């Protein structure tokens, strides 16, 4: 299909998204990019204020005088004049009150008479710098701009909030916002006393093969090697069916919509990318028993193909619809939607095309998800969504720029405590040297924000106690 025809086709597709189910992508993406799990024990009597602060649209262009309103939340239940400010940084999600009404950061704020804050990242949630997400408007979505937003937030609060002028600041984040914690301490070292970065990817890389490798390793570790083999064999069988002109059977088996083209590389790549992401969602969000339960479900069936396909259909079904549109055109239609709809795929994928790469490809044989989601799928998508300038070499230059500016795996920062769950596929892009980071066995992504509790493993409890002790030192 020529690119001049794609626009019309996608507009028609977008109109049909509600009738034909194309929401499997959004469902999986939301699971992989959701706000870190909120603490179970919430202090619901706390009054959380939702407030707005004026930010510059472009912090690095003095002649651009445009401003916008950034949302943030405050909880002052423990605050006493001179106490520190604890800020949880928002990432690629909508912020919510429960982040600052419970959990380990909340407990530390109680200990130190601290003010609790939660900042929302530009272009996510209700923090909308411009009226839409057109290619012209989305260019101001960049981590450097977001870090400058945070710097302005901190200096403004210290200048205007009574009792904060001499206060120290502790920043906390999970996933992408943990990356921001680390990088903020590098770029604005004097504005914060210390930071806690849980599950922070720090090294930008286009062909992020390690992600699906660790996803597979975690499935084998928690669910058993039989489960790993079931996924591997089931996907290999589907690949063979496509290769031997039996793609129509896969299409029927998975209830794919009519427009899925069994002879299109882009459609096949999109399907297998989505399948692998569904399993990544299970692993990344793992709580005790979660991976095991999925494996038990698949192992209960008579064959690899049936076990795999029945499980996938159970996931697809959550999005409703009589068939599942997992074609390349369908994901593109979702990503070309430039209105704010609450779906953050367009924003986050822009950041990957423009800053990080982090394409979780099938480029390694040491993973069970087959060979059919190469890096070309993701780089083609960048160009089709954001413009033809997003060539392989352009994306590579942006990734190299990110690593050069922030230091990759040698960020050279002080007073940042780094933690990773051993099961978490993102840890591969983070610092894993045990002299610099804490790896917590049998936990996944951003699972250490709860209060210290009896059900914590020895290692989890020790890690939480360590950050509490570090914060005491930083606040002296």
């Amino acid at each position: 299909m020529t690119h001049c025809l794609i626009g019309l086709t996608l507009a028609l597709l977008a109109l049909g998204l509600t009738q034909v189910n194309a929401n499997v992508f959004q469902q999986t993406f939301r699971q992989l990019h959701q706000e870190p799990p909120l603490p179970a024990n919430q202090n619901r009597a706390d009054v959380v204020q939702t407030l707005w602060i004026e930010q510059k649209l472009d912090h690095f262009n003095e002649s651009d005088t445009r401003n916008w309103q950034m949302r943030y939340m405050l909880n002052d239940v423990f605050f006493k004049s001179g106490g520190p400010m604890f800020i949880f940084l928002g990432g690629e999600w909508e912020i919510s009150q429960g982040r600052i009404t419970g959990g380990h950061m909340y407990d530390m704020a109680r200990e130190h008479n601290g003010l609790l804050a939660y900042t929302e990242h530009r272009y996510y949630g209700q923090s909308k710098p411009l009226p839409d997400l057109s290619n012209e408007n989305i260019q101001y979505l960049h981590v450097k701009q977001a870090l400058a937003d945070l710097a302005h937030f901190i200096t403004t609060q210290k200048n205007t909030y009574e009792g904060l002028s001499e206060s120290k600041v502790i920043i906390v984040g999970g996933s992408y916002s943990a990356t921001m914690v680390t990088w903020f301490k590098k770029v604005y070292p004097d504005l914060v006393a210390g930071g806690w970065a849980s599950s922070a990817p720090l090294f930008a890389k286009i062909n992020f093969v390690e992600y699906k490798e660790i996803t597979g390793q975690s499935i084998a570790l928690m669910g058993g090697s039989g489960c790993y083999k079931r996924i591997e064999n089931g996907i290999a069988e589907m690949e063979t069916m496509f290769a031997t002109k039996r793609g129509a059977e896969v299409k029927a088996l998975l209830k794919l919509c009519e427009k899925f083209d069994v002879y299109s590389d882009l459609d096949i790549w999109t399907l297998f990318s989505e399948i692998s992401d569904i399993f990544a969602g299970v692993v990344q969000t793992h709580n005790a028993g979660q991976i095991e339960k999925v494996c038990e479900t698949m192992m209960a069936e008579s064959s690899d193909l049936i076990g795999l396909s029945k499980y996938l259909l159970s996931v697809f079904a959550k999005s409703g619809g009589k068939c599942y549109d997992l074609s390349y055109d369908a994901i593109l239609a979702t990503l070309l939607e430039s209105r704010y709809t609450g779906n953050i795929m367009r924003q986050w994928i822009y950041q990957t095309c423009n800053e990080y790469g982090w394409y979780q490809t099938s480029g390694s044989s040491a993973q069970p998800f087959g060979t059919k989601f190469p890096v070309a799928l993701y780089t083609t998508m960048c160009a089709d969504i954001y413009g033809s300038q997003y060539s392989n070499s352009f994306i590579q230059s942006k990734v190299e720029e990110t690593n050069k500016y922030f230091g990759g795996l040698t960020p050279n920062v002080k007073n940042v405590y780094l933690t990773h769950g051993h099961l978490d596929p993102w840890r591969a892009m983070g610092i894993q040297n045990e002299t610099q980071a804490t790896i917590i066995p049998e936990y996944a992504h951003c699972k250490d924000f709860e209060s210290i509790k009896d059900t914590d493993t020895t290692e989890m409890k020790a890690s939480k106690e360590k950050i509490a002790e570090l914060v005491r030192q930083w606040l002296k």
Side-chain angles (χ1 to χ4, degrees):
M1 189 185 296
T2 62
H3 280 251
C4 57
L5 287 175
I6 281 179
L8 176 61
T9 308
L10 292 172
L12 293 170
L13 271 170
L15 287 172
L17 284 181
T18 50
Q19 291 87 18
V20 178
N21 174 31
N23 293 331
V24 177
F25 300 119
Q26 294 174 39
Q27 179 180 286
T28 307
F29 202 87
R30 194 174 295 124
Q31 186 178 23
L32 288 166
H33 295 273
Q34 63 192 343
E35 182 181 23
L38 295 176
N41 294 331
Q42 292 284 328
N43 294 276
R44 303 195 189 282
D46 289 3
V47 176
V48 174
Q49 293 176 276
T50 299
L51 302 162
W52 302 82
I53 181 173
E54 188 165 271
Q55 293 282 6
K56 282 197 67 167
L57 177 65
D58 187 349
H59 291 279
F60 308 108
N61 179 1
E62 285 184 16
S63 63
D64 190 336
T65 57
R66 290 175 291 175
N67 293 318
W68 62 283
Q69 296 292 318
M70 182 183 100
R71 185 168 67 149
Y72 67 99
M73 295 175 180
L74 287 183
N75 183 355
D76 65 358
V77 65
F78 305 126
F79 183 64
K80 293 181 181 171
S81 183
M85 179 160 62
F86 287 81
I87 310 172
F88 198 99
L89 311 188
E92 75 276 24
W93 56 79
E94 182 155 4
I95 63 172
S96 62
Q97 295 188 359
R99 178 94 276 139
I100 53 172
T101 52
H104 195 37
M105 183 179 86
Y106 182 89
D107 299 339
M108 292 189 282
R110 179 193 285 123
E111 179 184 342
H112 299 286
N113 302 318
L115 177 67
L116 288 150
Y118 192 7
T119 53
E120 192 164 69
H121 194 296
R122 55 171 56 205
Y123 290 90
Y124 296 105
Q126 301 302 313
S127 295
K128 302 169 183 175
L130 289 164
D132 64 33
L133 298 163
S134 63
N135 288 349
E136 182 186 359
N137 286 345
I138 206 171
Q139 65 179 301
Y140 302 99
L141 170 55
H142 196 286
V143 72
K144 289 181 187 175
Q145 298 282 4
L147 296 175
D149 290 339
L150 181 61
H152 177 67
F153 174 79
I154 290 171
T155 52
T156 302
Q157 293 303 314
K158 291 187 73 167
N159 287 336
T160 59
Y161 195 97
E162 192 175 340
L164 263 191
S165 60
E166 301 301 316
S167 297
K168 290 186 174 179
V169 177
I170 301 293
I171 54 176
V172 181
S175 193
Y176 166 51
S177 81
T179 307
M180 291 173 63
V181 164
T182 312
W183 291 350
F184 190 83
K185 192 72 176 92
K186 181 182 180 71
V187 181
Y188 303 96
D190 299 336
L191 286 183
V192 291
W196 173 19
S198 173
S199 306
L202 298 174
F203 184 72
K205 184 181 183 185
I206 289 185
N207 199 2
F208 180 12
V209 296
E210 297 89 345
Y211 185 95
K212 294 288 159 67
E213 289 178 341
I214 294 178
T215 302
Q217 291 163 17
S218 296
I219 288 169
L221 184 67
M222 305 307 290
S225 58
C227 182
Y228 182 105
K229 292 301 289 184
R230 175 137 288 193
I231 297 166
E232 186 172 48
N233 293 343
I235 287 174
E237 197 169 334
M238 285 185 189
E239 284 192 11
T240 300
M241 290 165 81
F242 279 114
T244 55
K245 298 192 165 51
R246 294 171 59 206
E249 293 176 48
V250 181
K251 189 171 172 175
L253 186 68
L254 296 179
K255 298 184 181 175
L256 302 179
C257 293
E258 186 53 40
K259 61 172 69 85
F260 186 94
D261 181 353
V262 299
Y263 298 105
S264 158
D265 280 345
L266 284 170
D267 280 8
I268 291 169
W269 293 351
T270 302
L271 171 65
F272 283 107
S273 171
E274 183 62 22
I275 289 171
S276 73
D277 282 351
I278 285 169
F279 286 104
V282 174
V283 169
Q284 193 177 296
T285 63
H286 172 80
N287 291 312
Q290 184 167 305
I291 295 171
E292 297 92 322
K293 187 178 176 186
V294 169
C295 285
E296 283 167 17
T297 300
M298 288 192 295
M299 296 304 287
E301 300 300 330
S302 57
S303 74
D304 298 325
L305 185 62
I306 299 300
L308 174 68
S309 57
K310 274 198 170 180
Y311 171 67
L312 292 173
L313 284 169
S314 72
V315 177
F316 295 168
K318 292 174 188 170
S319 60
K322 291 177 182 173
C323 68
Y324 308 109
D325 192 350
L326 294 174
S327 65
Y328 180 71
D329 273 358
I331 196 168
L332 218 55
T334 304
L335 290 162
L336 285 166
E337 171 56 74
S338 61
R339 295 172 301 173
Y340 290 98
T341 62
N343 167 35
I344 56 90
M345 289 174 70
R346 180 171 172 81
Q347 295 98 301
W348 179 250
I349 291 179
Y350 175 74
Q351 289 197 259
T352 67
C353 298
N354 203 49
E355 300 178 62
Y356 309 120
W358 286 337
Y359 303 121
Q360 298 151 12
T361 72
S362 56
S364 163
S365 59
Q367 49 83 21
F369 307 109
T371 62
K372 295 293 183 191
F373 44 105
V375 75
L377 168 63
Y378 307 98
T379 55
T380 300
M381 212 179 273
C382 288
D384 283 346
I385 306 162
Y386 308 111
S388 57
Q389 73 270 31
Y390 285 91
S391 62
N392 288 16
S393 59
F394 180 86
I395 299 167
Q396 183 62 41
S397 71
K398 292 291 191 178
V399 163
E400 288 170 2
E401 198 179 295
T402 298
N403 286 330
K404 186 177 179 186
Y405 188 84
F406 292 111
L409 293 175
T410 51
N412 194 24
V413 293
K414 291 179 180 169
N415 294 3
V416 174
Y417 181 58
L418 297 158
T419 61
H420 295 283
H422 180 254
L423 300 178
D424 181 16
W426 278 106
R427 72 176 163 81
M429 293 296 102
I431 293 171
Q432 298 185 80
N433 180 326
E434 289 186 11
T435 62
Q436 298 172 276
T438 299
I439 313 289
I440 308 169
E442 293 196 7
Y443 284 91
H445 193 64
C446 300
K447 294 294 182 180
D448 50 350
F449 291 128
E450 293 270 5
S451 299
I452 294 172
K453 51 190 201 291
D454 294 341
T455 52
D456 286 341
T457 61
T458 305
E459 296 92 342
M460 176 62 86
K461 189 177 182 190
S463 179
K464 289 177 182 175
E465 286 174 343
K466 184 171 180 182
I467 182 60
E469 184 50 42
L470 285 169
V471 167
R472 289 178 197 117
Q473 293 171 24
W474 297 336
L475 293 180
K476 275 181 183 171

